[in-house]
Amino acid sequence: LAFHDTAVTIPDSPPVRFEQAHMVVDHGHVRLSPAVVRTADQDQAQVEADYAMDGETLDLSISAEAMKVESLRAQVALAAVPWLEQVRSGQWSGQLHYRLAAIKAGWTGRLQIGDAQIAVPGLADPLQIASARAQIDGARIVLDRLQAQAGKVAFTGEYRYEPGAARPHRLRLRAEEVDAADLEAEFMPTLSRNTSLIARALGRAPVPAWLTGRAVEGTLQIGDLLLAGCHLENVRARLLWDVARVEFDGIQAKLDRAAITGKLAVNLRTARPSYKLTAKVKGLDWQAGKLDADGTLETSGTGTQLLANLRSEGNFTGAALDFGTVDAWRSMSGSYNLAWLETGPRLRLSGLNLRTEDETYTGRGATQDDGRLVIVLTSGSKEMRMSGTLAKLKVEEASKQ
């Protein structure tokens, strides 16, 4: 059978037109030879099909060099292509194949996606995909060579959906530059959910349906992360996200020449997010020497609340430090406790132990009302005081016996 200038309409779908098509019925098969079709938007694709009447199997192939995703989704019979059904706009090229058999039915495909837009629950802005290569194998999806942006956060990488896995969503993402404030703004629908007055008073927040199904694992890399005025370089972490609990494990970063390692846990189940960071810093430049520290930092909320609720404690050691004396100090160790009050940060130092070539001083220190950090040390009957800012401490005075 030959068809010329033919329009075919599937119920609830706009018509598609064949300029020319040939259908062959032979030995229990109905075959549509490769034919060019045009949509109502004048998009063009090539369609080929084979239906086996005995086995009631259908093989359908669709290929395109440049076709709007909306044109494909407008056809009810084609609208349920895995992952593509989530894409609201954009273009695709490549080949899709649908097989219907007695045992199972499903789509496969190899596509190139461009200028696409997807609404991702929990993000403030739609995800803009500049380009990606998509592989569809039933419910299994692979997106690689991904170049995308959400709000002000641009990144590249890979996404996989592995049905049946404990965490079916798999990510490998890399960003060159990210401002932590932009990242927080993009995830604000996840971090700050609308709750009733009673729920907020009790510190509870109902978990939305989209979050109950959030099970993600992957790796993240950021070349330059701007956080609280500091540039963290070569940031790497493993992401584990299970419903309302998020962990960034195996964190590695550089702050100037210092190495940072640690783990960050985020709790999204309460009315406002809470954070707990366990970290180590090694080789931090301080007082012309080097400082190592390990401790925990806890806070909650968003924006300026993060500073207002910040608490931190831990231990530190230092070497070759210069506090304005003739000789450099060989070593320093102690513990710290930091809290952010309405008047500003309050730091307490305890168990201080400072050593020179000949003497050992012990003592403690604290931030004063005027913001100065004052440290009092003793060695036998000798007393020594240091004062200044945390960035610049100097010996204030030393009393004799």
Side-chain angles (χ1 to χ4, degrees):
L1 303 175
F3 300 89
H4 303 278
D5 299 325
T6 304
V8 177
T9 302
I10 299 172
D12 301 321
S13 303
V16 293
R17 296 186 176 274
F18 293 84
E19 293 180 3
Q20 181 172 291
H22 294 84
M23 185 177 292
V24 178
V25 181
D26 181 42
H27 290 86
H29 281 263
V30 180
R31 297 186 181 91
L32 175 66
S33 299
V36 175
V37 300
R38 294 185 184 276
T39 68
D41 294 331
Q42 298 303 307
D43 279 335
Q44 182 175 298
Q46 180 172 280
V47 177
E48 182 178 0
D50 184 295
Y51 176 67
M53 290 181 282
D54 291 341
E56 295 187 346
T57 61
L58 170 67
D59 286 282
L60 171 68
S61 294
I62 305 171
S63 59
E65 293 184 1
M67 187 177 188
K68 297 185 186 69
V69 175
E70 305 97 297
S71 297
L72 184 70
R73 295 181 66 252
Q75 299 297 318
V76 171
L78 308 178
V81 178
W83 185 74
L84 275 181
E85 63 185 348
Q86 303 174 41
V87 180
R88 297 306 174 195
S89 63
Q91 284 195 335
W92 70 277
S93 61
Q95 187 174 67
L96 285 168
H97 182 263
Y98 178 76
R99 180 169 177 79
L100 173 65
I103 299 177
K104 72 173 190 175
W107 288 92
T108 57
R110 300 293 181 269
L111 311 175
Q112 185 69 33
I113 304 294
D115 298 323
Q117 186 180 97
I118 300 177
V120 178
L123 296 185
D125 300 287
L127 180 63
Q128 306 285 346
I129 299 178
S131 64
R133 187 175 65 177
Q135 300 177 50
I136 300 170
D137 186 5
R140 184 176 181 270
I141 308 296
V142 177
L143 295 181
D144 58 10
R145 301 180 184 178
L146 176 65
Q147 296 186 14
Q149 184 165 337
K152 296 181 180 179
V153 182
F155 57 91
T156 60
E158 177 182 301
Y159 165 79
R160 292 174 177 265
Y161 180 74
E162 299 286 354
R167 297 186 183 94
H169 301 279
R170 310 287 177 86
L171 297 172
R172 292 178 58 191
L173 304 181
R174 175 173 175 78
E176 294 300 326
E177 295 181 358
V178 174
D179 188 327
D182 294 336
L183 199 60
E184 182 188 61
E186 192 55 41
F187 277 92
M188 193 56 71
T190 300
L191 301 174
S192 181
R193 303 189 298 275
N194 291 328
T195 58
S196 66
L197 291 174
I198 296 177
R200 286 197 293 269
L202 296 175
R204 299 172 182 172
V207 177
W210 61 263
L211 189 55
T212 59
R214 191 60 55 91
V216 185
E217 70 173 75
T219 59
L220 306 175
Q221 297 183 37
I222 301 176
D224 184 352
L225 175 62
L226 179 59
L227 177 64
C230 298
H231 287 272
L232 300 179
E233 299 178 339
N234 299 323
V235 181
R236 298 169 182 265
R238 181 172 180 238
L239 169 66
L240 300 173
W241 189 338
D242 295 300
V243 190
R245 181 170 180 79
V246 186
E247 289 187 0
F248 297 90
D249 201 3
I251 295 175
Q252 299 181 38
K254 289 283 188 181
L255 177 60
D256 294 328
R257 289 174 290 183
I260 300 175
T261 57
K263 176 180 179 179
L264 173 64
V266 186
N267 183 5
L268 303 174
R269 194 171 293 278
T270 53
R272 59 185 183 184
S274 60
Y275 303 84
K276 182 175 181 179
L277 173 68
T278 304
K280 293 183 178 181
V281 180
K282 187 173 181 62
L284 183 67
D285 290 333
W286 187 64
Q287 298 288 151
K290 296 293 182 181
L291 186 72
D292 298 341
D294 65 86
T296 60
L297 183 152
E298 297 186 57
T299 188
S300 60
T302 58
T304 56
Q305 297 172 346
L306 294 173
L307 275 181
N309 298 322
L310 186 146
R311 299 289 185 274
S312 181
E313 61 181 21
N315 305 296
F316 59 88
T317 60
L321 305 175
D322 181 4
F323 294 110
T325 56
V326 176
D327 298 321
W329 296 80
R330 291 184 56 189
S331 66
M332 175 182 183
S333 63
S335 301
Y336 75 89
N337 186 291
L338 175 65
W340 211 281
L341 306 180
E342 292 185 3
T343 55
R346 288 300 179 97
L347 177 65
R348 294 185 179 276
L349 304 177
S350 59
L352 290 176
N353 187 299
L354 281 76
R355 295 183 180 182
T356 65
E357 289 289 344
D358 304 316
E359 294 183 287
T360 298
Y361 285 80
T362 59
R364 61 179 58 208
T367 304
Q368 306 301 299
D369 292 338
D370 60 2
R372 289 184 313 125
L373 176 62
V374 174
I375 297 175
V376 179
L377 301 163
T378 59
S379 177
S381 59
K382 295 181 180 179
E383 182 180 281
M384 180 173 62
R385 289 170 59 91
M386 296 181 187
S387 64
T389 64
L390 184 60
K392 188 64 177 177
L393 282 171
K394 289 190 65 175
V395 171
E396 185 180 276
E397 64 177 280
S399 61
K400 300 185 175 91
Q401 293 196 56

